[in-house]
Amino acid sequence: MFRHVSLQSSFAARSIARNAGCRRLASTKTLKETLQEVIPPKQEQLKRLKAEHGHTVVGDVKVENIIGGMRGLKAMLWEASVLDPIEGIRFHGLSIPDCQKLLPSSPGGKEMTAESMLWLLMTGKVPTPEQSKQLSDELVERGELPTFVEKFLDSLPKTLHPMSQLSMGVAALNHDSAFQAAYERGIKKPDYWTYTLEDCLNLVAKLPALAARIYRNIYHSDKSIAPTDRNLDLVGNYSNKLGFGDNQAMTEYLRLYIALHGDHEGGNASAHTAHLVGSTLADPYLSYAAGLNALAGPLHGLANQEVLRWQMAMQKEIGDTITHDNIKEYLWKTLKGGQVVPGYGHGVLRNPDPRFVALLEFAKSRPELQASPTIQLVQQTAEVAPDVLKEHGKTKNPYPNVDAASGCVLYHYGLTEFKYYTVIFGVSRALGAVTQLVWARALGLPIERPKSYSMDALEKLIKN
């Protein structure tokens, strides 16, 4: 169902793929040098759009948009990815299968790396393996936490939610913000993006150490954190610091998970929040800390822990005999109890989430996962739930989203602490958020300031 793409998007993806092949052999530019090359044409494109099409109408604002959380309203510029309701996410025109085929993997691995996805999101170009490795080495050099941040994290109570700790830790990193220091000195607007990039690379580099320290402090305070291995990529070190470095399958899954979750258009709550705060010229640390607070909401990133909690409750009730009939019965029990079925539906998508499909394909490639009752339950629920939800009639999209599969694999490989799952999501989503912060500064985007109405004012507007 994801193969029915428009001719235009298919042509764009093929063109990028062909050009990528040439670049993989020819280009040795760094990320910053590549951005210096691709930013000017984008700046010219923005000028042209404003000058020639500034008054072109691209959609009507309806009352339901205003009172319905601005859902579906075309009102935001976001360069890195576009989410189509039928096709799913595309990163600069490339689908998830395209990315899995084209983006470099780590030495000895098969899954695309976070570094290669960050490069694609930032530049619109597929990096060479050498460029991906160069960026990986640079991030490793930037990855150590300041001592005061380590002490601050260690002082927090174990009972404080991991996402609260992650947001606080990221905000504390603003102590060393290059952008904030440069802005206070007085820099020209065309230079904003270079200092923003510096902060963004530092943020991405430090997130694994930050997130791993939170995991150790809350759940395994008796264990030490592995030192940074300069031969590993970003996610390899993250897995190692979490204590899963000897599990290659878990590390590969984390690579896939983090790359897939890196960006999902700009309208979702966490990405939008980071962009909104960033539009005030707050530094990237403060901007992304705000985005993490949005990600921690039950209707957004926290959903992945709720999915697994619901799945485990179903597994406990139906026992070892998993059939379509007893899954269907449990689904109806959930719905008739006034609850939603977690992991199904999406604010934009109207087909199964391609990220869910990719994670399920990963599970199918691993015999140990296929033997897991939890994975089997996820697969069979995905076969049964859409028809039940269609019959229920209150869900616009009855198909599984990425949360329906993401937590169960983590659980199988031993990361069983549900509350921590959203932290991994937070490490992932930084890739897209920092990309937008750099591009917002490079394009000189203004502070975001929509117009609001009271209900009385809205009714008056309707009458007039």
Side-chain angles (χ1 to χ4, degrees):
M1 62 192 69
F2 301 108
R3 302 182 190 275
H4 300 298
V5 298
S6 68
L7 291 175
Q8 184 177 6
S9 61
S10 295
F11 177 77
R14 288 197 299 271
S15 297
I16 291 175
R18 285 197 300 271
N19 293 336
C22 298
R23 285 192 293 270
R24 286 168 70 91
L25 295 174
S27 179
T28 57
K29 293 184 176 70
T30 66
L31 178 62
K32 185 174 182 179
E33 290 169 340
T34 304
L35 281 169
Q36 288 171 328
E37 179 183 89
V38 300
I39 282 174
K42 287 287 187 180
Q43 291 172 328
E44 289 302 315
Q45 183 183 12
L46 183 64
K47 289 180 183 178
R48 188 171 63 252
L49 283 169
K50 289 167 69 175
E52 299 177 9
H53 304 288
H55 297 288
T56 300
V57 176
V58 294
D60 299 319
V61 178
K62 302 179 179 68
V63 172
E64 65 181 17
N65 299 131
I66 296 174
I67 64 176
M70 297 190 289
R71 187 174 295 273
L73 193 61
K74 298 178 181 69
M76 190 176 183
L77 185 65
W78 193 270
E79 281 297 293
S81 64
V82 175
L83 180 59
D84 182 85
I86 306 302
E87 297 177 17
I89 193 68
R90 282 182 177 266
F91 309 104
H92 290 287
L94 295 180
S95 67
I96 286 174
D98 292 334
C99 291
Q100 289 178 294
K101 185 183 299 182
L102 292 169
L103 292 183
S105 58
S106 64
K110 295 181 179 179
E111 302 299 339
M112 53 187 164
T113 63
E115 291 89 340
S116 61
M117 176 56 77
L118 177 61
W119 190 291
L120 173 64
L121 293 174
M122 280 276 190
T123 68
K125 298 182 178 183
V126 173
T128 64
E130 293 77 17
Q131 287 174 321
S132 184
K133 179 64 167 62
Q134 181 275 330
L135 179 57
S136 182
D137 292 343
E138 182 178 354
L139 294 177
V140 166
E141 290 294 329
R142 297 168 177 261
E144 297 299 328
L145 292 177
T147 302
F148 82 91
V149 173
E150 292 181 339
K151 291 180 178 178
F152 171 62
L153 291 175
D154 294 348
S155 72
L156 298 175
K158 293 182 180 182
T159 50
L160 185 62
H161 196 284
M163 283 300 289
S164 300
Q165 298 197 30
L166 184 64
S167 173
M168 294 165 72
V170 168
L173 289 171
N174 113 297
H175 178 274
D176 299 323
S177 169
F179 177 81
Q180 185 183 67
Y183 188 82
E184 289 176 357
R185 288 197 309 268
I187 54 173
K188 296 179 180 179
K189 284 187 178 181
D191 296 329
Y192 282 0
W193 76 265
T194 61
Y195 294 97
T196 300
L197 176 64
E198 183 73 12
D199 278 353
C200 287
L201 291 178
N202 282 330
L203 171 57
V204 170
K206 289 174 169 51
L207 273 172
L210 193 67
R213 197 170 193 90
I214 292 167
Y215 181 72
R216 192 282 307 266
N217 286 351
I218 297 177
Y219 303 110
H220 301 283
S221 57
D222 59 324
K223 297 182 180 179
S224 60
I225 301 174
T228 299
D229 186 338
R230 298 187 182 279
N231 295 314
L232 295 176
D233 63 337
L234 190 79
V235 177
N237 267 304
Y238 183 31
S239 180
N240 208 24
K241 289 176 184 295
L242 288 173
F244 296 95
D246 59 349
N247 187 335
Q248 181 63 21
M250 174 64 155
T251 303
E252 280 286 272
Y253 178 73
L254 284 171
R255 288 192 179 103
L256 177 62
Y257 179 103
I258 287 174
L260 291 181
H261 284 73
D263 200 37
H264 210 237
E265 207 178 56
N268 65 79
S270 55
H272 188 189
T273 301
H275 170 71
L276 170 63
V277 176
S279 78
T280 71
L281 293 186
D283 67 66
Y285 304 107
L286 297 181
S287 302
Y288 194 54
L292 287 169
N293 291 334
L295 191 66
L299 295 182
H300 192 18
L302 207 67
N304 60 6
Q305 75 178 45
E306 298 307 314
V307 170
L308 188 55
R309 197 187 310 278
W310 176 80
Q311 288 170 337
M312 298 298 288
M314 174 164 59
Q315 192 168 23
K316 182 178 180 180
E317 181 163 320
I318 68 178
D320 295 331
T321 305
I322 303 172
T323 68
H324 281 197
D325 285 341
N326 54 29
I327 292 173
K328 184 176 181 179
E329 183 179 340
Y330 192 84
L331 285 163
W332 277 116
K333 178 182 176 181
T334 300
L335 293 168
K336 289 177 180 178
Q339 299 173 291
V340 298
V341 175
Y344 286 77
H346 192 274
V348 177
L349 290 171
R350 293 298 174 264
N351 261 336
D353 190 336
R355 298 171 300 172
F356 170 82
V357 175
L359 294 181
L360 210 58
E361 287 300 317
F362 180 91
K364 289 178 180 178
S365 72
R366 301 280 176 172
E368 72 274 14
L369 294 178
Q370 283 301 293
S372 165
T374 304
I375 306 296
Q376 292 173 11
L377 184 60
V378 169
Q379 292 173 330
Q380 292 192 45
T381 301
E383 296 167 3
V384 176
D387 286 339
V388 171
L389 291 169
K390 287 176 185 176
E391 185 179 345
H392 185 247
K394 294 184 179 180
T395 305
K396 290 183 179 180
N397 174 16
Y399 300 107
N401 61 50
V402 68
D403 293 326
S406 59
C408 62
V409 179
L410 296 172
Y411 188 87
H412 174 84
Y413 285 132
L415 206 162
T416 58
E417 297 86 1
F418 294 176
K419 285 188 175 182
Y420 186 78
Y421 289 179
T422 312
V423 171
I424 303 175
F425 197 167
V427 173
S428 313
R429 187 48 56 89
L431 303 181
V434 301
T435 294
Q436 176 65 9
L437 290 170
V438 170
W439 275 100
R441 305 284 164 87
L443 296 174
L445 298 185
I447 188 170
E448 192 172 284
R449 205 324 187 162
K451 179 76 177 83
S452 62
Y453 287 93
S454 67
M455 285 191 286
D456 288 343
L458 192 56
E459 289 186 346
K460 183 178 179 180
L461 187 68
I462 294 166
K463 290 176 182 177
N464 292 337

